Amino acid sequence: MADLSSLKDLGTATEASAPAHVRKVDSLGRSYATGKRKNAVARVWVKPGSGKIIVNGKEFAEYFARPVLQMILRQPIVAAAREGQFDIVATVAGGGLSGQAGAVRHGVSKALTYFEPGLRSVLKKGGFLTRDSRVVERKKYGKAKARRSFQFSKR
């Protein structure tokens, strides 16, 4: 670089090589993503199909019996207006049912963006691509729980 004009040319070269979101699909036509929430980790595969959702080998309505959890799982598909267009297979481990539903939702959102990069803006706006990093606080010594003290007695 001899002067500032060459620096300007350098800036345009890096802008052209900005990472564009590309389609990531395996040899079977599926896109894969990992979703996490609390202590739950979900491995999710998305492929074109009739809208069937399988979680740990069961129908999702059977695995997540509560309607709230079913609604959480379907949110990214409804937001992307892709109901009945994709088959989803997920395996979930760790945590409780609420965390597992959130993990599957996160994984489905990521897998949809890998399959159809055009959906990224819609899902990002809905907050589905953000990993909810809140986890249970650890228990401290000298405390009954993470923050709760033992009952105080003067005598």
Side-chain angles (χ1 to χ4, degrees), residues 151-155:
Q151 184 169 344
F152 174 75
S153 174
K154 196 167 190 178
R155 4 180 174 263

Side-chain angles (χ1 to χ4, degrees), residues 45-55 58-61 73-74 77 82-89 108 112:
W45 289 268
V46 171
K47 65 179 181 178
S50 59
K52 194 183 291 186
I53 303 174
I54 306 291
V55 178
K58 296 180 181 178
E59 191 68 35
F60 86 104
L73 197 139
R74 281 196 305 260
I77 304 162
R82 297 291 187 270
E83 297 166 276
Q85 295 182 22
F86 291 106
D87 284 346
I88 298 167
V89 178
V108 166
L112 281 174

Side-chain angles (χ1 to χ4, degrees), residues 5-113:
S5 61
S6 61
L7 185 64
K8 185 178 116 183
D9 297 335
L10 183 69
T12 56
T14 55
E15 289 170 12
S17 63
H21 298 288
V22 292
R23 192 166 188 252
K24 296 180 189 172
V25 180
D26 66 5
S27 60
L28 300 173
R30 306 174 301 181
S31 62
Y32 167 80
T34 306
K36 295 181 181 182
R37 171 85 168 76
K38 293 186 178 179
N39 280 337
V41 179
R43 301 184 304 156
V44 180
W45 289 268
V46 171
K47 65 179 181 178
S50 59
K52 194 183 291 186
I53 303 174
I54 306 291
V55 178
N56 286 356
K58 296 180 181 178
E59 191 68 35
F60 86 104
E62 185 183 342
Y63 191 82
F64 295 113
R66 288 185 293 190
V68 173
L69 299 179
Q70 296 173 20
M71 183 260 311
I72 286 172
L73 197 139
R74 281 196 305 260
Q75 278 178 333
I77 304 162
V78 172
R82 297 291 187 270
E83 297 166 276
Q85 295 182 22
F86 291 106
D87 284 346
I88 298 167
V89 178
T91 58
V92 191
L97 284 178
S98 174
Q100 288 186 352
V104 173
R105 180 180 91 158
H106 186 227
V108 166
S109 305
K110 284 172 64 175
L112 281 174
T113 58

Side-chain angles (χ1 to χ4, degrees), residues 133-150:
S133 60
R134 295 176 296 170
V135 291
V136 177
E137 190 174 344
R138 78 173 193 89
K139 184 195 175 300
K140 279 74 167 191
Y141 56 86
K143 297 280 187 180
K145 293 167 67 175
R147 297 186 180 195
R148 195 211 184 294
S149 299
F150 296 110

